[in-house]
Amino acid sequence: MPEETDIGSSLRKVRKRRGLTQRELADASGVSLSLIRKLEQGEITDTRMETAHKLASTLRVPTSCLLERDDEEPAAEAAEPWRPLGQAVQVATAYTGEAPTVEGVRPMLPEVRAAYFDNRLGELTGLLCPLLHDADALGDTTDARDVRSHLLQIAGSVLTQVRQFSAAETALRRALDDAPDRLRAAGIIATWSWLLVRQGKLAASRELATKWADDVEPRMSRATPEELAAWGWLLMQSSAAALRDNRKGEADDTMRLAQSVSVMLGRELPRGTERLTTWGPTTVRYKACERHIVLDEPDKVLRAVKPKRPGRAGPGGLAVSTEYHRHRLDVAKAHTMMRQYPEAVDVLTSVHAEAPEWLASQRYARDILGDVMEKRRTLTPEMRTLADAVSLPM
């Protein structure tokens, strides 16, 4: 999914090195001349990843060569709701009162997971903060590390979604330290690779996911479904980072391997304690659509869209929720790229109805809606509702 990043002065240096004027770069890349000028002059610092990708592709450099910022995070006001969670993942403070037990903390995990899977982020933060405090006091037993690692991974994923990158890294680093086995560690690394992409650290994301994919590659003759899923997710993360970094050949090869793994699996696995998402052929199809957005192929996204949302899998209601919503944003983006603005608004409205808290934290949704509203002289009630929901600037 496209993210925002800061190009800064790097664009000017690389453009001059290639012997291009600003107008020549604009004509070749499809990025407007006015935007290129504003980027080079520092008038605009928040630039979509898709814009960086187009410019880097035209200049024949990895996208990461243009990216300067490391940890761009929301302003203090936007970050305030997530401050308690950010503090909760830091090094534990001394525990006072009756000491918690694994037997007391573990039964809360289903409630935490349900809030996470349903994207009830405010409620989830209220659950996680005291539980993380309790988990830190559980000691260093295998069961304690298992519970603590799972809670920290969920916290790291939430903090990544709401762009609290430093705190997310702390949570994921601690989760990895406590990981009870290789499968849990692989799931944490997949989340960490996603965090690095959101930060614009494409080379680091690709290298991390590739290294771990190599490390966890199972023996096909006796691989379990969970091992295949862990390997497949890391392959997809590696491919996504490589594609954004203009390493298309590498990205294509890795994605083909991930698709082969999903065919071997033959079904969509529900989420588990090791993975916070489902994985299988459906997820791979979603990621294929994401690739078409990056490659400026919106027509292929719309041809691949299924008319109905996949049903919930299993008695625990473990459906493709967050990945499905991300996929729907790609569909909305494809509609805007095809100038099908009412259809894009319909998709965003459906996502808002199903996951309002999640949508509110998505810059991608804000960008899509901004593109739609720029093309409309008058706004419909649905557009105004969405603008308020994603905090689109006036």
Side-chain angles (χ1 to χ4, degrees), residues 90-343:
Q90 304 301 320
V91 177
T93 57
Y95 198 92
T96 59
E98 184 180 357
T101 64
V102 172
E103 293 73 18
V105 175
R106 192 186 293 278
M108 293 297 297
L109 285 178
E111 188 173 352
V112 169
R113 288 162 55 82
Y116 175 78
F117 296 148
D118 289 342
N119 297 294
R120 291 178 270 121
L121 301 186
E123 178 183 339
L124 178 59
T125 297
L127 291 169
L128 276 175
C129 289
L131 277 178
L132 285 168
H133 182 53
D134 287 352
D136 282 333
L138 294 179
D140 199 37
T141 66
T142 300
D143 287 345
R145 290 195 299 271
D146 181 24
V147 169
R148 190 161 51 240
S149 178
H150 192 44
L151 289 170
L152 284 165
Q153 185 185 3
I154 291 175
S157 178
V158 172
L159 289 164
T160 299
Q161 290 186 51
V162 299
R163 306 185 73 82
Q164 299 299 296
F165 297 143
S166 296
E169 182 174 344
T170 297
L172 294 175
R173 190 179 301 279
R174 292 188 60 206
L176 188 61
D177 287 343
D178 278 332
D181 53 49
R182 189 173 63 164
L183 288 178
R184 173 70 60 74
I188 294 166
I189 291 297
T191 304
W192 202 331
S193 177
W194 169 49
L195 165 63
L196 290 169
V197 167
R198 297 204 76 179
Q199 291 175 291
K201 299 178 180 179
L202 302 180
S205 175
R206 176 179 55 83
E207 291 166 4
L208 180 67
T210 300
K211 176 185 180 300
W212 275 80
D214 290 343
D215 289 345
V216 304
E217 180 179 354
R219 289 188 179 182
M220 295 298 99
S221 60
R222 61 185 189 188
T224 67
E226 288 294 341
E227 288 172 336
L228 290 173
W231 186 36
W233 253 117
L234 289 168
L235 290 170
M236 285 201 311
Q237 289 298 113
S238 175
S239 177
L243 185 66
R244 287 164 171 78
D245 208 15
N246 288 331
R247 299 174 179 268
K248 187 175 182 299
E250 179 182 336
D252 290 346
D253 291 343
T254 311
M255 190 61 178
R256 277 194 292 269
L257 184 54
Q259 289 170 333
S260 297
V261 175
S262 74
V263 171
M264 291 177 60
L265 190 59
R267 61 189 176 91
E268 194 78 11
L269 284 186
R271 294 175 288 233
T273 57
E274 288 75 25
R275 287 172 294 98
L276 298 183
T277 62
T278 65
W279 196 84
T282 300
T283 299
V284 172
R285 285 197 295 271
Y286 290 164
K287 291 301 181 182
C289 287
E290 178 182 299
R291 289 168 56 82
H292 292 316
I293 293 295
V294 176
L295 294 173
D296 198 19
E297 300 170 339
D299 55 317
K300 293 183 179 180
V301 176
L302 298 181
R303 285 202 300 268
V305 172
K306 299 291 183 181
K308 294 182 180 180
R309 175 179 178 173
R312 289 193 170 272
L318 304 182
V320 184
S321 61
T322 300
E323 288 304 320
Y324 174 74
H325 295 319
R326 290 193 181 110
H327 168 65
R328 295 298 290 163
L329 292 188
D330 284 332
V331 173
K333 176 63 177 178
H335 281 304
T336 63
M337 295 168 74
M338 299 289 289
R339 300 184 180 181
Q340 299 170 356
Y341 303 120
E343 291 85 347

Side-chain angles (χ1 to χ4, degrees), residues 21-24 26-27 30-38:
T21 65
Q22 290 178 333
R23 184 174 296 280
E24 288 170 338
D27 291 342
V31 177
S32 71
L33 176 61
S34 62
L35 178 56
I36 291 174
R37 285 174 174 167
K38 290 177 181 178

Side-chain angles (χ1 to χ4, degrees), residues 378-394:
T378 59
L379 304 183
T380 66
E382 291 79 10
M383 291 179 189
R384 291 194 293 270
T385 297
L386 287 170
D388 290 340
V390 301
S391 301
L392 190 69
M394 298 294 289

